[in-house]
Amino acid sequence: TEKCLLFGNLYQYQGFWVSSGNYLQKIVTCQNQFEARDSDIFLVTLPKSGTTWLKAMVFALVNRTQYDPKSTQHPLLSNNPHQLVHFLEFPIPRNGVDSSTPRLISTHLPLVSLPESVKKSGCKIVYLCRNPKDNFVSRFHWQNKLRRQEMGGISLEEAFESFCRGVYTYGPFWDHALGYWKQSLETPERVLFFKYDEMKADPGNHLRKLADFIGCPISKEEESFNLVDQILELCSFDHLSNLEVNRTGKLLPGINNSNFFRRGEVGDWKNHLTPEMAQKLDEITKEKLGASGLTF
Ligand code: A3P
């Protein structure tokens, strides 16, 4: 057990940190009771890696026949993406829009902690990772926004030390990413490994790869009417963050939908980390990722 700056006590479970006994209990319940289906699509991320964006894109892709991305009735126009694709391990109120087959399910759990039924099933897993410096900065802002309401801010230096030691919910970063990275090399048909940074640089081809991987490739006809651009536009940071639902809505008490949208860019760490901090994080990353082939 370690004291967490944000959530009180953190517990180490299967090599990763989770908050509060109650929450740990929820994870164990999922591990024991969740029944995966071969058709399930899992979206896995560390917090602040682009989960919201990935959820929007996969929801729009999978449901494109039912919901035209240009429709003024599209569920993404009136729901935060987290209301459309639920977390395995957190209760978020359902709101009637159901993407039943295939089921879209998200989680922050590390590979080692996924329910056995997920590991044994033929379900697809999309893992989205983000360079650790931006992931840290995004997490720092998120934590501070939530924490300020409760108990005052937290300094960047304190948060940075915790990040480097891997002591925060779902940390350490490197172990989390490596678990899925290695699995994606072993069973590429089951695990697709994406990086937020690369997705920002070439979103169109990432969307096409995503569609191929989850078994709903973009057809020639869809290409001819620019479906890819339509989905990217629908799910873009500028579009989603300016919707009324995401400016004023609440996901849960104390969590505003707007909290999920800050800058949505690559390299914001340059505005927050000192050169020494950046160097330290780079060195840890190099050492932890070693010769795995995973680089940032
Ligand atoms: P920043 O804090 O760097 O802006 P998560 O969705 O996993 O909570 O991650 C949140 C991060 O993704 C935030 O990063 C947020 O701004 C960014 N984000 C949210 N929606 C996005 C979108 N549609 N496109 C790109 N980035 C997005």
Side-chain angles (χ1 to χ4, degrees), residues 15-269:
F16 293 84
W17 294 95
V18 297
S19 57
S20 93
N22 189 15
Y23 181 66
L24 179 56
Q25 190 51 48
K26 281 203 183 82
I27 294 179
V28 174
T29 306
C30 290
Q31 289 180 325
N32 292 333
Q33 298 182 357
F34 180 76
E35 289 179 25
R37 298 179 195 158
D38 287 343
S39 58
D40 288 343
I41 299 171
F42 269 82
L43 308 181
V44 189
T45 54
L46 272 168
K48 306 300 122 195
S49 301
T51 322
T52 315
W53 188 22
L54 183 66
K55 285 185 178 191
M57 294 225 280
V58 177
F59 181 90
L61 256 183
V62 165
N63 295 294
R64 66 193 191 257
T65 319
Q66 190 179 354
Y67 303 116
D68 183 328
K70 294 195 306 313
S71 161
T72 53
Q73 304 299 314
H74 198 286
L76 277 165
L77 301 180
S78 51
N79 294 272
N80 177 272
H82 295 283
Q83 294 171 304
L84 300 173
V85 181
H86 294 102
F87 280 103
L88 180 69
E89 67 273 25
F90 314 119
I92 291 175
R94 299 190 171 261
N95 61 354
V97 181
D98 186 20
S99 60
S100 49
T101 308
R103 292 190 301 186
L104 304 181
I105 303 162
S106 80
T107 182
H108 292 317
L109 290 178
L111 185 75
V112 62
S113 301
L114 288 181
E116 276 307 304
S117 73
V118 175
K119 293 183 194 159
K120 284 189 194 132
S121 77
C123 70
K124 302 271 184 193
I125 296 175
V126 180
Y127 186 80
L128 179 64
C129 192
R130 189 175 190 185
N131 79 74
K133 289 179 289 209
D134 281 337
N135 183 245
F136 163 70
V137 167
S138 182
R139 187 185 271 268
F140 168 72
H141 285 285
W142 164 267
Q143 288 188 340
N144 250 348
K145 246 178 237 156
L146 298 192
R147 194 183 134 109
R148 215 173 275 134
Q149 300 157 6
E150 299 280 320
M151 49 191 140
I154 162 183
S155 79
L156 184 81
E157 290 71 22
E158 280 175 299
F160 185 74
E161 281 314 308
S162 300
F163 191 87
C164 290
R165 290 170 50 231
V167 184
Y168 51 87
T169 42
Y170 302 101
F173 173 96
W174 305 274
D175 307 62
H176 202 282
L178 270 180
Y180 287 97
W181 170 253
K182 288 180 183 159
Q183 195 62 45
S184 76
L185 298 179
E186 272 172 41
T187 54
E189 68 292 348
R190 287 215 49 211
V191 181
L192 179 69
F193 193 99
F194 270 1
K195 293 178 188 164
Y196 177 94
D197 318 69
E198 292 176 355
M199 198 152 97
K200 282 289 288 188
D202 185 3
N205 280 324
H206 280 73
L207 192 75
R208 290 184 182 92
K209 273 190 210 160
L210 204 50
D212 289 344
F213 178 74
I214 62 183
C216 56
I218 311 286
S219 68
K220 281 212 173 88
E221 194 203 341
E222 287 172 329
E223 289 285 5
S224 74
F225 59 78
N226 292 329
L227 177 84
V228 170
D229 289 342
Q230 291 170 11
I231 294 181
L232 292 181
E233 170 51 29
L234 173 67
C235 302
S236 72
F237 179 90
D238 285 346
H239 182 240
L240 292 183
S241 62
N242 283 308
L243 293 170
E244 186 62 24
V245 62
N246 292 322
R247 288 196 297 132
T248 59
K250 267 192 192 311
L251 193 63
L252 292 168
I255 301 194
N256 299 331
N257 291 345
S258 62
N259 292 156
F260 292 95
F261 304 91
R262 194 181 60 92
R263 294 194 58 168
E265 280 166 16
V266 175
D268 187 39
W269 61 267

